[in-house]
Amino acid sequence: MAKPVFRFAPSPTGRLHRGHAFSALTARRAADSAGGRFRLRIEDIDRTRCRPEFEAGILEDLTWLGVGWDGPVLRQSDRSAAYEAALSRLSEAGLTYQCFRTRRELAEAMTRAPHGDEAVFLGERLPDAEVQRRLDAGEAFAWRLDVREASRRAGPLTFLEAGAGPFSETGLSKVSPEAAGDIVLARKDIGVAYHLAVVVDDAHQEVTHVVRGCDLFAATGVQRLLQALLGLPEPVYRHHRLLVGPDGKRYAKRDRAETLQALREQGVSPDQLIAELDLDGDR
């Protein structure tokens, strides 16, 4: 019987903070308890924000925490061919389209739309002749998934939640990918988008259990849909609570949360940090 496989998949867009430490330690301990393996993946597809020095910092911080990993580190920047193959499969099945709306145009359209007008959020599918005209003019576009058609073909989907979602969802959960709209699968500036890359990589690394924060619970529906469309295995999901600081806000890079590097420089030991994180409280 194959051993279960868990993973930790940070993005090198900054140094790790307490929230990252909690997630990495939770996943590592789950792998150890199950007698499984623990993979490390560096999600560096966003070339505009990822930095080599942040990747080096991630490895340094995990080593300091005592979080080891099994096998080589997987870097998404080395996996473009696999993502392009997956995107091609979806396109050949007629499940994608080229959307030329910019983020600003989408935001403006949503503010003008009547309440509940989902067509705006779903992007804009143009006639073939207009698509070709815009391509010839060199306009930028994003590949979007036709979620309604994809959901129709995939049929009803579920996933097993071994933890709890933001509203205490647990057990066998139904999937409603349409709520996310026609998600972006790839864009010129960042290449492949998160949802497609993560399901392709989880399958490649033979991940059987995904442990992550409950802020990603809503993403599970779209990811299950992509797994079904691409014939990829379905992991068990375990979403955990999010750590918050004294101000009640969750730790986040964008808010310049105190980093593990800073804690280390203050003389905080790994054992002190682990005790503060109260990992047993999330079981």
Side-chain angles (χ1 to χ4, degrees):
M1 184 176 178
K3 293 184 177 182
V5 178
F6 296 72
R7 50 84 160 171
F8 179 57
S11 297
T13 56
R15 294 295 298 240
L16 300 185
H17 51 63
R18 285 179 174 86
H20 295 117
F22 182 86
S23 193
L25 286 163
T26 299
R28 175 76 254 192
R29 289 192 172 191
D32 292 342
S33 295
R37 297 185 175 89
F38 184 76
R39 307 293 192 198
L40 177 61
R41 179 164 75 236
I42 301 297
E43 297 194 336
D44 57 350
I45 52 175
D46 188 347
R47 297 185 294 271
T48 64
R49 299 173 58 221
C50 295
R51 299 286 184 272
E53 59 269 28
F54 293 144
E55 179 183 335
I58 288 170
L59 303 184
E60 179 184 15
D61 290 340
L62 292 177
T63 300
W64 175 73
L65 276 173
V67 176
W69 55 89
D70 301 305
V73 177
L74 184 76
R75 293 173 180 81
Q76 289 188 330
S77 55
D78 297 330
R79 301 265 301 145
S80 58
Y83 307 142
E84 290 170 6
L87 180 59
S88 292
R89 283 188 60 187
L90 296 172
S91 297
E92 289 167 3
L95 294 174
T96 66
Y97 63 93
Q98 293 154 301
C99 179
F100 293 86
R101 275 183 168 169
T102 64
R103 293 183 180 89
R104 176 179 291 182
E105 288 172 339
L106 283 167
E108 290 175 350
M110 288 180 70
T111 61
R112 294 193 303 268
H115 180 68
D117 185 359
E118 66 175 14
V120 173
F121 181 62
L122 292 171
E124 184 179 35
R125 191 163 193 163
L126 300 172
D128 291 345
E130 178 63 10
V131 170
Q132 191 58 55
R133 185 191 70 78
R134 294 196 177 200
L135 290 175
D136 292 342
E139 293 187 32
F141 67 88
W143 284 106
R144 288 184 179 270
L145 179 70
D146 185 338
V147 172
R148 288 175 292 190
E149 175 60 19
S151 297
R152 186 189 68 80
R153 295 195 200 179
L157 296 171
T158 60
F159 67 93
L160 180 59
E161 175 57 60
F167 299 102
S168 301
E169 303 95 333
T170 192
L172 195 64
S173 300
K174 292 183 179 180
V175 167
S176 300
E178 297 91 342
D182 285 3
I183 60 163
V184 171
L185 296 176
R187 187 182 282 120
K188 184 177 180 180
D189 56 345
I190 63 170
V192 68
Y194 166 74
H195 289 298
L196 184 57
V198 74
V199 299
V200 170
D201 287 341
D202 280 345
H204 176 73
Q205 291 189 291
E206 300 180 328
V207 172
T208 60
H209 293 70
V210 173
V211 179
R212 60 189 185 185
C214 65
D215 56 324
L216 289 171
F217 182 85
T220 311
V222 167
Q223 291 168 13
R224 279 291 298 117
L225 176 60
L226 289 171
Q227 288 160 358
L229 295 172
L230 294 168
L232 302 177
E234 171 192 353
V236 173
Y237 289 88
R238 174 183 166 187
H239 293 89
H240 59 67
R241 62 187 168 93
L242 300 178
L243 295 193
V244 297
D247 59 359
K249 296 174 63 177
R250 74 181 183 92
Y251 293 109
K253 292 176 185 176
R254 63 177 175 273
D255 295 329
R256 298 185 179 181
E258 190 173 35
T259 65
L260 302 188
Q261 179 186 30
L263 293 174
R264 191 159 57 247
E265 291 171 351
Q266 294 168 24
V268 175
S269 71
D271 288 343
Q272 288 174 315
L273 177 59
I274 290 170
E276 174 196 325
L277 295 176
D278 186 24
L279 296 168
D280 292 335
D282 199 64
R283 290 183 177 177

